[in-house]
Amino acid sequence: MLNSHSFPPLVIRGRSLLPIVQGGMGVGVSAHRLAGSVAREGALGTIASIDLRHHHHDLVERCRQSPDTATLEQANLTALAREIHLARMLSEGRGMLAVNVMKAVSAQADYVRVACESGADAIVMGAGLPLDLPDMTQGHDIALIPILSDSRGVALVLKKWLKKGRLPDAVVIEHPAHAGGHLGVGNLADMHDRRFDFLRILEELETVFASLSLNRQDVPVILAGGINSHDAVRELLSAGANGVQLGTPFAVTEEGDAHPNFKRVLAEATPEDIVEFVSVTGLPARAVKTPWLMRYLRHETKIRAKLGVLKHACPTALECLSACGWRDGIEKFGHFCIDTRLAAALRGDVANGLFFRGREALPFGAAIRSVHDLLELLLTGATRPAVAGRWAYSLG
């Protein structure tokens, strides 16, 4: 564990943590190995709940033999329970373990239930306003952490949750201009709106909390998106944030659960290799320009003109999203199977995968280092030499 740093702890539900949060990344990018390793260091590690069956050969085989929706859904719930159990063992009782559940996923309530029953410490929910999350977790002692993008979203969640007698145990504020994966804006043109500026939001939240007769310290604020250095961490924590969240830098650590090719694609990507587009969820997204994505984007206009309003059978039978551009024929949404493409990325299929990534340079450049080394760099600014034989290496 890392103890020698100068920042106050991030306190969630009475537990003192390192003020660094590992974001949830699917499909399968942040599973038990990454989340458990982060928690073991005394921080908040996060398992991304969707489609974890890909990490379990017996569940993959079961789904191959019975490729129907009920079998796939049950396999994923079983996989989530296993991953939570394995992460808890790996964490050795330190830190906290969260499960990230996308509001846009059709099985959200089942994922929340399994997370609660399997001993997760927290539920993190984004990709939509989690106004009913307190209802879904009624009777369970678990931290609830919504992911939002601006002070208006925080105000709405606080008002709705207060009526249910509940406060968030923390809120994540994710900046859409810098984060990877799905972005918290209605369209691409809004990404750089000033309402998403971290310092502005921290200032506005003082007014929001006062208007609701709350103390700003009642709900820790965690800032996410584009944070890639000790200086950035220091600046935001000094400005009033209680913690910061990172995704891509954790995805490429030694302990990250994805294939080495996945880490290579993310680590080697330059700013010119990263592109924004509209996902099948209808949300803007950010990813690396890999061969499949570039082919899709070149033909996107034609695809929408020919297929945009046509409905299709779900290619995987998983029916993973509550609204899917391809399946439901929603013209303004993306038109591809996101589960298929993210699963290809997880197994290192560079030609066919969808590789979500944040925009900023990575803390160690193209080098793959450990979770401990990443936390040490972020919290102290120190960069220790790579240890021979510990499979730290450079991609390039």
Side-chain angles (χ1 to χ4, degrees):
M1 292 180 65
L2 185 66
N3 298 311
S4 57
H5 65 91
S6 60
F7 300 114
L10 168 64
V11 181
I12 296 179
R13 216 168 179 79
R15 297 174 71 168
S16 293
L17 309 166
L18 297 178
I20 307 289
V21 174
Q22 169 243 316
M25 297 164 284
V27 166
V29 175
S30 57
H32 81 269
R33 190 171 63 175
L34 177 56
S37 298
V38 172
R40 187 172 58 191
E41 293 289 339
L44 175 60
T46 308
I47 296 171
S49 60
I50 188 168
D51 215 3
L52 287 164
R53 63 194 166 98
H54 294 288
H55 284 301
H56 301 267
H57 296 302
D58 63 321
L59 298 179
V60 171
E61 179 61 21
R62 184 187 306 172
C63 293
R64 189 188 67 78
Q65 294 181 6
S66 301
D68 57 88
T69 302
T71 301
L72 269 65
E73 287 181 347
Q74 187 54 52
N76 283 326
L77 295 176
T78 299
L80 175 58
R82 289 181 185 178
E83 291 293 322
I84 295 170
H85 173 71
L86 291 168
R88 284 170 60 87
M89 291 178 60
L90 185 57
S91 71
E92 299 176 351
R94 301 172 189 159
M96 288 183 77
L97 286 167
V99 171
N100 178 282
V101 180
M102 290 176 60
K103 182 66 178 171
V105 170
S106 55
Q108 56 172 294
D110 289 327
Y111 288 137
V112 168
R113 174 180 55 80
V114 170
C116 291
E117 293 173 351
S118 301
D121 299 308
I123 301 286
V124 181
M125 184 173 281
L129 287 171
L131 301 180
D132 57 350
L133 186 55
D135 301 318
M136 286 192 279
T137 55
Q138 193 73 36
H140 292 279
D141 181 18
I142 192 165
L144 304 182
I145 305 173
I147 302 177
L148 304 158
S149 293
D150 59 20
S151 61
R152 289 183 295 183
V154 176
L156 179 57
V157 167
L158 287 174
K159 290 174 184 176
K160 293 289 186 180
W161 285 27
L162 281 170
K163 292 179 180 178
K164 303 174 187 291
R166 182 68 193 258
L167 278 176
D169 294 282
V171 294
V172 174
I173 304 293
E174 188 176 82
H175 199 308
H178 303 286
H182 290 108
L183 310 173
V185 288
N187 58 71
L188 292 169
D190 290 339
M191 283 194 304
H192 296 280
D193 192 300
R194 286 197 62 247
R195 75 178 187 273
F196 302 125
D197 291 351
F198 287 148
L199 299 185
R200 175 173 172 172
I201 291 173
L202 289 172
E203 183 178 330
E204 291 174 347
L205 286 181
E206 297 289 345
T207 303
V208 169
F209 276 76
S211 70
L212 296 171
S213 300
L214 295 171
N215 188 318
R216 161 64 181 78
Q217 296 307 312
D218 290 340
V219 181
V221 174
I222 301 162
L223 301 180
I227 301 158
N228 63 350
S229 68
H230 173 66
D231 288 344
V233 172
R234 178 172 296 282
E235 177 185 358
L236 294 176
L237 295 183
S238 298
N242 302 97
V244 296
Q245 176 178 292
L246 296 86
T248 305
F250 279 109
V252 302
T253 56
E254 295 170 0
E255 296 91 341
D257 291 273
H259 191 279
N261 285 352
F262 177 96
K263 300 174 188 181
R264 176 176 63 81
V265 168
L266 268 60
E268 292 183 344
T270 66
E272 293 74 28
D273 296 327
I274 300 166
V275 65
E276 292 86 29
F277 61 99
V278 178
S279 170
V280 295
T281 61
L283 294 170
R286 180 172 290 117
V288 180
K289 295 177 182 176
T290 46
W292 167 80
L293 182 56
M294 293 312 296
R295 282 198 311 275
Y296 169 75
L297 293 177
R298 279 198 304 270
H299 299 292
E300 186 179 36
T301 301
K302 291 181 180 178
I303 292 171
R304 282 185 171 158
K306 289 185 176 181
L307 304 174
V309 295
L310 297 179
K311 295 185 178 182
H312 301 84
C314 176
T316 66
L318 181 58
E319 306 285 353
C320 61
L321 297 173
S322 54
C324 170
W326 172 256
R327 181 195 64 206
D328 301 330
I330 306 173
E331 186 172 4
K332 293 182 179 180
F333 287 20
H335 293 275
F336 55 89
C337 176
I338 193 168
D339 184 70
T340 299
R341 297 301 169 181
L342 291 175
L346 174 68
R347 63 177 182 266
D349 185 347
V350 178
N352 297 297
L354 173 58
F355 293 76
F356 284 147
R357 188 199 191 282
R359 175 161 288 285
E360 266 63 35
L362 296 177
F364 290 109
I368 306 301
R369 300 290 293 265
S370 70
V371 162
H372 180 88
D373 288 353
L374 175 60
L375 290 170
E376 184 174 47
L377 173 62
L378 294 171
L379 291 173
T380 71
T383 306
R384 67 176 64 197
V387 177
R390 207 191 59 194
W391 59 294
Y393 56 96
S394 179
L395 298 167

